[in-house]
């Protein structure tokens, strides 16, 4: 396609088949790739991924449109069971285009591997000995994966922390800082930590227990921000000026920033978007969840992962920063047939680029949620999509889905029983 704008107006109005055709053209997918996307994961493929497989479990893969990130258009594959998430992300990305979209950055893709050392008498002295042997330990760590070292990654540094008060007494924790390049890196880091254990015991005089990656990947951060002219936020149909909507968003954020009860829900909304892309690309969404929530609590009080305010020009400005341990090689990212194609649709070239795109999606999802909550309330948009699901469950097909759903919404009665009655009225001969 000559124009690779991700602003696909009216995309949602097409049939699923037609949407796939548009995406295939946009992302240059071959016929067999389109067929793979339609087919999804087979039992035989699943059987190679986990144990005791009996079937595969399908989830919808939707495409969020309109994303402009660092001046480039992206179509965003999202795998999620919850209605309104894909629509919300697309809507927020359209609002962000009224500014110049999202701007993102990320740190080097460094993970932390932890080695727990117990039974040390003089912890500060053992700590110092380990740090004095830094080079030797890093060389040994790098011998474990020459491929990643050749690609520019590998062991970067050591940190040693003393935990004086634990339920098992004092302990020394060695951190191996490891640049994972385009891999998520869990296996590589775990292997390196395993390999270091005997030498760490020798140097420290203690005994090593755990050697495992930390999911609080606070050296692998992604950031996104956006600035939106307030006029773009106006909702005349709901009686709100842009300024009022912006104020509502800032007030909603202030609530999350101050209150962990609200922050948990606020961040859940962010993770709606983040997890959906992490899942679509075959990455470990539990690792990302763990890192995000631990990072949100890093000050000692759990708080919002985003910030919202107004800049000197009056624009609504939002930002997000969180750990995003995602890869584009290894694990399911290449083994899962549709994950591989999700990465192709995204067109990301590095794990860092993927993390940045995901951060922008998280920020967009948060904007969509708190804008709706602060203005018309989340229920209305949700109701429309929920009504469609109730209509389908009641047996509606084709254009009847929308007709039944519209009646349910108009009557404000989204119940399976009422859906069946309406369906009966609309199809008396059935
Ligand atoms: C629902 O899945 C997510 C929201 O609750 C997020 C939020 O409250 O900000 C709408």
């Amino acid at each position: 396609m000559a124009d690779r704008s991700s602003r696909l107006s009216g995309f949602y109005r097409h049939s699923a088949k037609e949407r796939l055709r548009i995406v295939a053209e946009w992302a240059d997918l071959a016929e067999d790739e389109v067929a793979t996307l339609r087919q999804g994961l087979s039992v035989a493929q699943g059987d190679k991924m986990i144990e005791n497989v009996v079937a595969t479990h399908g989830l919808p893969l939707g495409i969020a449109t309109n994303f402009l990130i660092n001046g480039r258009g992206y179509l965003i594959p999202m795998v999620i069971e919850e209605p309104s998430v894909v629509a919300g992300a697309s809507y927020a990305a359209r609002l962000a285009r009224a500014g110049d979209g999202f701007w993102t950055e990320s740190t080097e893709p460094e993970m932390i591997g932890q080695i727990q050392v117990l039974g040390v008498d003089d912890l500060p002295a053992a700590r110092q000995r380990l740090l004095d042997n830094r080079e030797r330990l890093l060389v040994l760590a790098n011998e474990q994966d020459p491929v990643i070292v050749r690609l520019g990654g590998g062991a970067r540094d050591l940190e040693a922390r003393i935990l004086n008060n634990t339920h098992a007494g004092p302990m020394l924790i060695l951190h191996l800082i490891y640049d994972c390049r385009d891999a998520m890196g869990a296996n590589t880091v775990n292997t390196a930590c395993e390999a270091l254990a005997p030498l760490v015991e020798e140097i420290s005089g203690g005994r090593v227990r755990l050697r495992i990656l930390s999911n609080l990947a606070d050296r692998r951060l992604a950031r996104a921000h956006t600035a939106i002219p307030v006029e773009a936020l106006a909702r005349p149909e709901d009686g709100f000026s842009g300024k009022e909507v912006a104020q509502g968003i800032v007030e909603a954020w202030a609530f999350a920033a101050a209150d962990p009860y609200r922050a948990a829900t606020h961040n859940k909304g962010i993770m709606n978007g983040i997890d959906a892309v992490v899942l679509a690309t075959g990455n470990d969404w539990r690792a990302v969840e763990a890192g995000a929530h631990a990072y949100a609590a890093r000050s000692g009080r759990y708080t919002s992962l985003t910030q919202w305010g107004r800049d000197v020009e009056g624009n609504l400005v939002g930002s997000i920063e969180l750990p995003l341990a995602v890869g584009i090689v290894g694990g399911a990212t290449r083994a899962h047939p549709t994950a591989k194609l999700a990465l192709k649709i995204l067109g990301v070239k590095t794990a860092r680029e993927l993390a940045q795109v995901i951060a922008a999606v998280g920020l967009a999802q948060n904007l969509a949620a708190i804008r709706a909550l602060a203005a018309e309330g989340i229920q209305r948009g949700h109701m429309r999509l929920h009504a469609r699901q109730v209509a389908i469950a009641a047996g509606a097909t084709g254009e009847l889905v929308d007709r039944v759903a519209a009646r349910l919404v108009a009557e404000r009665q989204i119940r399976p029983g009422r859906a069946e009655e309406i369906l009966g009225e609309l199809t008396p001969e059935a």
Side-chain angles (χ1 to χ4, degrees):
M1 201 178 272
D3 172 19
R4 284 250 308 181
S5 169
S6 60
R7 174 80 190 99
L8 300 182
S9 173
F11 185 67
Y12 66 94
R13 287 205 198 90
H14 296 287
S15 66
K17 197 171 166 197
E18 181 65 8
R19 286 186 211 117
L20 180 55
R21 196 196 56 72
I22 295 168
V23 172
E25 196 176 329
W26 200 91
D28 246 340
L29 302 184
E31 272 314 305
D32 61 324
E33 291 176 321
V34 171
T36 301
L37 266 179
R38 278 213 195 92
Q39 218 163 11
L41 184 74
S42 71
V43 175
Q45 287 163 326
D47 202 19
K48 293 200 188 84
M49 293 172 70
I50 65 163
E51 311 75 39
N52 298 356
V53 167
V54 295
T56 61
H57 175 93
L59 279 174
L61 188 159
I63 300 285
T65 57
N66 304 333
F67 273 82
L68 185 64
I69 303 172
N70 302 334
R72 197 193 128 186
Y74 289 85
L75 293 183
I76 315 281
M78 301 177 83
V79 168
I80 188 157
E81 87 296 344
E82 182 173 330
S84 297
V85 171
V86 177
S90 306
Y91 178 71
R94 181 153 71 82
L95 291 181
R97 288 183 94 94
D100 46 12
F102 299 92
W103 295 94
T104 65
E105 56 177 33
S106 56
T107 62
E108 296 296 326
E110 289 177 354
M111 297 297 285
I112 299 168
Q114 295 194 293
I115 302 175
Q116 180 194 23
V117 192
L118 299 126
V120 176
D121 290 334
D122 186 344
L123 286 166
R127 175 181 183 279
Q128 194 52 51
R129 280 199 304 281
L130 285 166
L131 295 178
D132 289 345
N133 280 278
R134 179 179 174 279
E135 281 315 311
R136 216 173 134 204
L137 287 158
L138 296 185
V139 167
L140 179 61
N142 277 335
E143 280 168 8
Q144 310 312 310
D145 192 339
V147 175
I148 207 158
V149 173
R150 213 168 38 243
L151 293 170
R156 292 284 187 259
D157 206 355
L158 290 181
E159 288 170 345
R161 301 164 49 226
I162 293 172
L163 301 183
N164 278 312
N165 291 313
T166 83
H167 290 289
M171 56 183 81
L172 186 75
I173 308 299
L174 188 66
H175 281 187
L176 171 66
I177 313 300
Y178 197 103
D179 185 321
C180 296
R181 291 289 93 195
D182 286 326
M184 187 275 191
N187 289 336
T188 312
V189 173
N190 291 340
T191 305
C193 289
E194 295 271 356
L196 293 191
L199 185 54
V200 168
E201 287 189 336
E202 189 190 311
I203 296 169
S204 67
R207 69 191 154 78
V208 165
R209 183 69 78 183
L210 300 194
R211 311 80 121 184
I212 185 79
L213 172 100
S214 169
N215 287 122
L216 177 48
D218 62 0
R219 304 182 58 127
R220 196 174 190 174
L221 300 173
R223 305 183 185 99
H225 72 94
T226 187
I228 307 174
V230 289
E231 307 78 62
L233 300 167
R235 295 281 291 201
E237 66 277 33
D238 295 313
F240 295 109
S241 71
K243 230 167 136 182
E244 283 167 329
V245 173
Q247 187 182 343
I249 289 169
V250 175
E251 287 170 356
W253 162 74
F255 180 11
D259 177 26
Y261 285 93
R262 172 58 204 153
T265 322
H266 177 97
N267 289 343
K268 189 273 181 183
I270 294 170
M271 300 314 286
N272 276 343
I274 288 183
D275 286 341
V277 187
V278 172
L279 195 51
T281 55
N283 276 288
D284 182 346
W285 56 271
R286 285 88 51 216
V288 170
E289 279 278 337
H293 293 292
Y295 195 66
R298 70 192 178 283
S299 70
R301 187 172 59 80
Y302 185 86
T303 188
S304 165
L305 285 166
T306 54
Q307 285 82 38
W308 291 97
R310 306 280 299 277
D311 68 9
V312 282
E313 283 138 44
N315 296 315
L316 175 74
V317 289
S319 61
I320 188 170
E321 177 185 272
L322 80 164
L324 273 167
V326 291
I328 61 165
V329 296
T333 57
R334 294 287 162 96
H336 190 292
T338 55
K340 196 168 141 197
L341 291 168
L343 283 168
K344 180 160 181 187
I345 292 167
L346 277 167
V348 290
K349 298 282 180 291
T350 63
R352 285 180 65 179
E353 186 185 355
L354 175 61
Q356 291 177 42
V357 168
I358 293 174
V361 174
L363 186 59
Q365 206 70 57
N366 183 225
L367 172 61
I370 58 175
R371 191 212 59 80
L373 287 171
E376 74 268 14
I378 205 83
Q379 217 40 30
R380 207 183 62 182
H382 250 298
M383 261 175 34
R384 213 164 18 88
L385 288 154
H386 178 53
R388 281 177 55 84
Q389 286 182 333
V390 171
I392 291 166
T397 53
E399 50 106 32
L400 281 172
V401 175
D402 284 332
R403 288 177 63 196
V404 173
R407 287 268 301 269
L408 291 172
V409 172
E411 293 174 8
R412 296 185 167 271
Q413 285 201 64
I414 306 181
R415 295 184 291 106
R418 182 64 193 135
E420 280 164 26
E421 283 167 20
I422 297 172
L423 191 60
E425 285 168 31
L426 293 175
T427 53
E429 72 286 0

